PDB file of all heavy atoms in Angstrom:
ATOM      1  N   ASN E 151      -3.058 -12.081  10.049  1.00  0.00           N
ATOM      2  CA  ASN E 151      -4.214 -11.573   9.322  1.00  0.00           C
ATOM      3  C   ASN E 151      -3.728 -10.927   8.040  1.00  0.00           C
ATOM      4  O   ASN E 151      -3.305  -9.773   8.024  1.00  0.00           O
ATOM      5  CB  ASN E 151      -4.966 -10.554  10.199  1.00  0.00           C
ATOM      6  CG  ASN E 151      -6.253 -10.093   9.561  1.00  0.00           C
ATOM      7  OD1 ASN E 151      -6.629 -10.561   8.488  1.00  0.00           O
ATOM      8  ND2 ASN E 151      -6.926  -9.158  10.203  1.00  0.00           N
ATOM      9  N   SER E 152      -3.804 -11.678   6.952  1.00  0.00           N
ATOM     10  CA  SER E 152      -3.247 -11.198   5.683  1.00  0.00           C
ATOM     11  C   SER E 152      -4.105 -10.135   5.023  1.00  0.00           C
ATOM     12  O   SER E 152      -3.705  -9.555   4.015  1.00  0.00           O
ATOM     13  CB  SER E 152      -3.072 -12.369   4.714  1.00  0.00           C
ATOM     14  OG  SER E 152      -4.308 -13.023   4.489  1.00  0.00           O
ATOM     15  N   THR E 153      -5.315  -9.857   5.564  1.00  0.00           N
ATOM     16  CA  THR E 153      -6.159  -8.822   4.969  1.00  0.00           C
ATOM     17  C   THR E 153      -5.629  -7.435   5.251  1.00  0.00           C
ATOM     18  O   THR E 153      -5.991  -6.472   4.597  1.00  0.00           O
ATOM     19  CB  THR E 153      -7.589  -8.927   5.505  1.00  0.00           C
ATOM     20  OG1 THR E 153      -7.579  -8.801   6.945  1.00  0.00           O
ATOM     21  CG2 THR E 153      -8.205 -10.267   5.127  1.00  0.00           C
ATOM     22  N   THR E 154      -4.740  -7.305   6.248  1.00  0.00           N
ATOM     23  CA  THR E 154      -4.143  -6.009   6.556  1.00  0.00           C
ATOM     24  C   THR E 154      -2.882  -5.857   5.736  1.00  0.00           C
ATOM     25  O   THR E 154      -1.952  -6.636   5.874  1.00  0.00           O
ATOM     26  CB  THR E 154      -3.790  -5.903   8.048  1.00  0.00           C
ATOM     27  OG1 THR E 154      -4.962  -6.162   8.813  1.00  0.00           O
ATOM     28  CG2 THR E 154      -3.244  -4.518   8.377  1.00  0.00           C
ATOM     29  N   PRO E 155      -2.806  -4.848   4.841  1.00  0.00           N
ATOM     30  CA  PRO E 155      -1.625  -4.707   3.990  1.00  0.00           C
ATOM     31  C   PRO E 155      -0.412  -4.247   4.770  1.00  0.00           C
ATOM     32  O   PRO E 155      -0.526  -3.580   5.781  1.00  0.00           O
ATOM     33  CB  PRO E 155      -2.048  -3.637   2.966  1.00  0.00           C
ATOM     34  CG  PRO E 155      -3.099  -2.855   3.679  1.00  0.00           C
ATOM     35  CD  PRO E 155      -3.811  -3.830   4.588  1.00  0.00           C
ATOM     36  N   VAL E 156       0.773  -4.620   4.231  1.00  0.00           N
ATOM     37  CA  VAL E 156       2.045  -4.217   4.855  1.00  0.00           C
ATOM     38  C   VAL E 156       2.739  -3.234   3.949  1.00  0.00           C
ATOM     39  O   VAL E 156       3.174  -3.579   2.856  1.00  0.00           O
ATOM     40  CB  VAL E 156       2.945  -5.443   5.070  1.00  0.00           C
ATOM     41  CG1 VAL E 156       4.234  -5.027   5.760  1.00  0.00           C
ATOM     42  CG2 VAL E 156       2.222  -6.473   5.898  1.00  0.00           C
ATOM     43  N   ASN E 157       2.902  -2.018   4.419  1.00  0.00           N
ATOM     44  CA  ASN E 157       3.572  -0.965   3.662  1.00  0.00           C
ATOM     45  C   ASN E 157       3.142  -0.981   2.198  1.00  0.00           C
ATOM     46  O   ASN E 157       3.936  -1.248   1.291  1.00  0.00           O
ATOM     47  CB  ASN E 157       5.087  -1.130   3.737  1.00  0.00           C
ATOM     48  CG  ASN E 157       5.577  -1.021   5.148  1.00  0.00           C
ATOM     49  OD1 ASN E 157       5.030  -0.262   5.954  1.00  0.00           O
ATOM     50  ND2 ASN E 157       6.631  -1.752   5.462  1.00  0.00           N
ATOM     51  N   PRO E 158       1.838  -0.732   1.948  1.00  0.00           N
ATOM     52  CA  PRO E 158       1.383  -0.800   0.557  1.00  0.00           C
ATOM     53  C   PRO E 158       2.042   0.259  -0.296  1.00  0.00           C
ATOM     54  O   PRO E 158       2.207   1.388   0.101  1.00  0.00           O
ATOM     55  CB  PRO E 158      -0.132  -0.547   0.671  1.00  0.00           C
ATOM     56  CG  PRO E 158      -0.272   0.227   1.936  1.00  0.00           C
ATOM     57  CD  PRO E 158       0.814  -0.269   2.857  1.00  0.00           C
ATOM     58  N   ASP E 159       2.433  -0.134  -1.552  1.00  0.00           N
ATOM     59  CA  ASP E 159       3.030   0.821  -2.474  1.00  0.00           C
ATOM     60  C   ASP E 159       1.937   1.688  -3.087  1.00  0.00           C
ATOM     61  O   ASP E 159       0.869   1.193  -3.452  1.00  0.00           O
ATOM     62  CB  ASP E 159       3.765   0.087  -3.603  1.00  0.00           C
ATOM     63  CG  ASP E 159       4.945  -0.684  -3.050  1.00  0.00           C
ATOM     64  OD1 ASP E 159       5.492  -0.241  -2.024  1.00  0.00           O
ATOM     65  OD2 ASP E 159       5.284  -1.730  -3.634  1.00  0.00           O
ATOM     66  N   PRO E 160       2.197   2.981  -3.201  1.00  0.00           N
ATOM     67  CA  PRO E 160       1.179   3.839  -3.814  1.00  0.00           C
ATOM     68  C   PRO E 160       0.973   3.489  -5.265  1.00  0.00           C
ATOM     69  O   PRO E 160       1.896   3.105  -5.976  1.00  0.00           O
ATOM     70  CB  PRO E 160       1.767   5.253  -3.648  1.00  0.00           C
ATOM     71  CG  PRO E 160       3.243   5.024  -3.522  1.00  0.00           C
ATOM     72  CD  PRO E 160       3.384   3.708  -2.792  1.00  0.00           C
ATOM     73  N   THR E 161      -0.274   3.613  -5.736  1.00  0.00           N
ATOM     74  CA  THR E 161      -0.588   3.315  -7.124  1.00  0.00           C
ATOM     75  C   THR E 161       0.022   4.378  -8.015  1.00  0.00           C
ATOM     76  O   THR E 161      -0.217   5.570  -7.825  1.00  0.00           O
ATOM     77  CB  THR E 161      -2.110   3.287  -7.319  1.00  0.00           C
ATOM     78  OG1 THR E 161      -2.670   2.318  -6.425  1.00  0.00           O
ATOM     79  CG2 THR E 161      -2.465   2.921  -8.764  1.00  0.00           C
ATOM     80  N   PRO E 162       0.871   3.988  -8.976  1.00  0.00           N
ATOM     81  CA  PRO E 162       1.493   5.000  -9.832  1.00  0.00           C
ATOM     82  C   PRO E 162       0.466   5.738 -10.660  1.00  0.00           C
ATOM     83  O   PRO E 162      -0.517   5.165 -11.117  1.00  0.00           O
ATOM     84  CB  PRO E 162       2.445   4.170 -10.713  1.00  0.00           C
ATOM     85  CG  PRO E 162       1.865   2.790 -10.696  1.00  0.00           C
ATOM     86  CD  PRO E 162       1.229   2.622  -9.332  1.00  0.00           C
ATOM     87  N   VAL E 163       0.691   7.011 -10.831  1.00  0.00           N
ATOM     88  CA  VAL E 163      -0.220   7.847 -11.605  1.00  0.00           C
ATOM     89  C   VAL E 163       0.251   7.878 -13.034  1.00  0.00           C
ATOM     90  O   VAL E 163       1.419   8.170 -13.310  1.00  0.00           O
ATOM     91  CB  VAL E 163      -0.276   9.276 -11.020  1.00  0.00           C
ATOM     92  CG1 VAL E 163      -1.206  10.148 -11.849  1.00  0.00           C
ATOM     93  CG2 VAL E 163      -0.715   9.226  -9.576  1.00  0.00           C
ATOM     94  N   ASN E 164      -0.652   7.567 -13.956  1.00  0.00           N
ATOM     95  CA  ASN E 164      -0.326   7.582 -15.372  1.00  0.00           C
ATOM     96  C   ASN E 164      -0.391   9.010 -15.874  1.00  0.00           C
ATOM     97  O   ASN E 164      -1.455   9.618 -15.874  1.00  0.00           O
ATOM     98  CB  ASN E 164      -1.315   6.703 -16.139  1.00  0.00           C
ATOM     99  CG  ASN E 164      -0.905   6.542 -17.600  1.00  0.00           C
ATOM    100  OD1 ASN E 164       0.096   7.121 -18.035  1.00  0.00           O
ATOM    101  ND2 ASN E 164      -1.669   5.781 -18.355  1.00  0.00           N
ATOM    102  N   PRO E 165       0.760   9.623 -16.238  1.00  0.00           N
ATOM    103  CA  PRO E 165       0.722  11.030 -16.641  1.00  0.00           C
ATOM    104  C   PRO E 165      -0.076  11.276 -17.908  1.00  0.00           C
ATOM    105  O   PRO E 165      -0.536  12.378 -18.144  1.00  0.00           O
ATOM    106  CB  PRO E 165       2.206  11.368 -16.863  1.00  0.00           C
ATOM    107  CG  PRO E 165       2.839  10.053 -17.167  1.00  0.00           C
ATOM    108  CD  PRO E 165       2.078   9.027 -16.358  1.00  0.00           C
ATOM    109  N   ASP E 166      -0.237  10.251 -18.752  1.00  0.00           N
ATOM    110  CA  ASP E 166      -0.979  10.416 -19.995  1.00  0.00           C
ATOM    111  C   ASP E 166      -1.951   9.265 -20.138  1.00  0.00           C
ATOM    112  O   ASP E 166      -1.730   8.344 -20.927  1.00  0.00           O
ATOM    113  CB  ASP E 166      -0.009  10.465 -21.185  1.00  0.00           C
ATOM    114  CG  ASP E 166      -0.735  10.816 -22.475  1.00  0.00           C
ATOM    115  OD1 ASP E 166      -1.870  11.301 -22.393  1.00  0.00           O
ATOM    116  OD2 ASP E 166      -0.155  10.591 -23.560  1.00  0.00           O
ATOM    117  N   PRO E 167      -3.011   9.289 -19.321  1.00  0.00           N
ATOM    118  CA  PRO E 167      -3.926   8.137 -19.358  1.00  0.00           C
ATOM    119  C   PRO E 167      -4.662   8.043 -20.685  1.00  0.00           C
ATOM    120  O   PRO E 167      -4.988   9.047 -21.309  1.00  0.00           O
ATOM    121  CB  PRO E 167      -4.888   8.441 -18.199  1.00  0.00           C
ATOM    122  CG  PRO E 167      -4.867   9.933 -18.091  1.00  0.00           C
ATOM    123  CD  PRO E 167      -3.451  10.347 -18.431  1.00  0.00           C
ATOM    124  N   THR E 168      -4.905   6.830 -21.101  1.00  0.00           N
ATOM    125  CA  THR E 168      -5.662   6.591 -22.321  1.00  0.00           C
ATOM    126  C   THR E 168      -7.142   6.601 -22.001  1.00  0.00           C
ATOM    127  O   THR E 168      -7.567   5.938 -21.071  1.00  0.00           O
ATOM    128  CB  THR E 168      -5.278   5.224 -22.930  1.00  0.00           C
ATOM    129  OG1 THR E 168      -3.877   5.217 -23.162  1.00  0.00           O
ATOM    130  CG2 THR E 168      -6.031   4.990 -24.235  1.00  0.00           C
TER     131      THR E 168
END
Side-chain angles (χ1 to χ4, degrees):
N151 186 3
S152 58
T153 58
T154 304
V156 182
N157 298 326
D159 295 331
T161 303
V163 179
N164 187 358
D166 187 16
T168 303

